[in-house]
Amino acid sequence: MAFTSATEVKPGCLGVGLGLMVVAVLGWMFGYPQYRVYSQRLAGEAALAEAQSSRQVAILEARAKKESAISLAEAEVIRAAGAAKANTILQDSLGGPEGYLRYLQIQALEDTKAQLIYVPTEAGLPVTESRRLQGPEGR
């Protein structure tokens, strides 16, 4: 068996090395564009899937808002019906609409912190206190 020196290259090895290099360059020249097309197709499919997912989320959120609005409207109708029934019961127990209005007026007077209150008379006009406002010299 003969040993070769480091500077000596066998002609067969050089051809194999160049052949592998040519195959690698040609493979890269033809394979890289195909890889780019494949990569872009995958990126497009991912973007499409994300858009469809976002659309479905938006639709579900809209449905939830619609159902919530319907439930709130139903609750408001039930509350209004209860308030109307309670008002009718109060009105009937106080002798009709006039008695109920007088009751509401008394409730409002109890809650007020005013120092001067004008109470309407039978004609619906308040009794004014023009003398009180004139002071002691007007008497």
Side-chain angles (χ1 to χ4, degrees), residues 117-138:
I117 298 173
Y118 291 105
V119 178
T121 61
E122 290 82 22
L125 300 172
V127 176
T128 58
E129 299 183 40
S130 58
R131 286 194 199 163
R132 184 181 68 82
L133 298 175
Q134 289 177 356
E137 34 314 309

Side-chain angles (χ1 to χ4, degrees), residues 14-99:
L14 183 60
V16 171
L18 284 176
L20 287 175
M21 222 170 172
V22 168
V23 169
V25 169
L26 288 176
W28 180 79
M29 285 175 57
F30 292 108
Y32 182 68
Q34 294 296 324
Y35 171 75
R36 286 187 55 205
V37 169
Y38 172 74
S39 176
Q40 289 175 351
R41 182 172 55 89
L42 287 181
E45 288 175 2
L48 178 63
E50 183 179 349
Q52 288 174 343
S53 175
S54 296
R55 181 177 172 265
Q56 288 175 347
V57 167
I59 289 171
L60 290 175
E61 287 176 351
R63 282 185 187 151
K65 285 181 182 180
K66 179 182 176 183
E67 290 173 6
S68 174
I70 290 171
S71 295
L72 288 172
E74 289 172 351
E76 186 64 22
V77 167
I78 292 169
R79 188 208 58 80
K85 189 174 181 179
N87 287 343
T88 302
I89 292 169
L90 275 173
Q91 178 178 318
D92 291 345
S93 67
L94 294 172
E98 286 295 320

Side-chain angles (χ1 to χ4, degrees), residues 1-6 8 10:
M1 191 174 210
F3 290 105
T4 59
S5 68
E8 186 180 329
K10 290 187 179 181

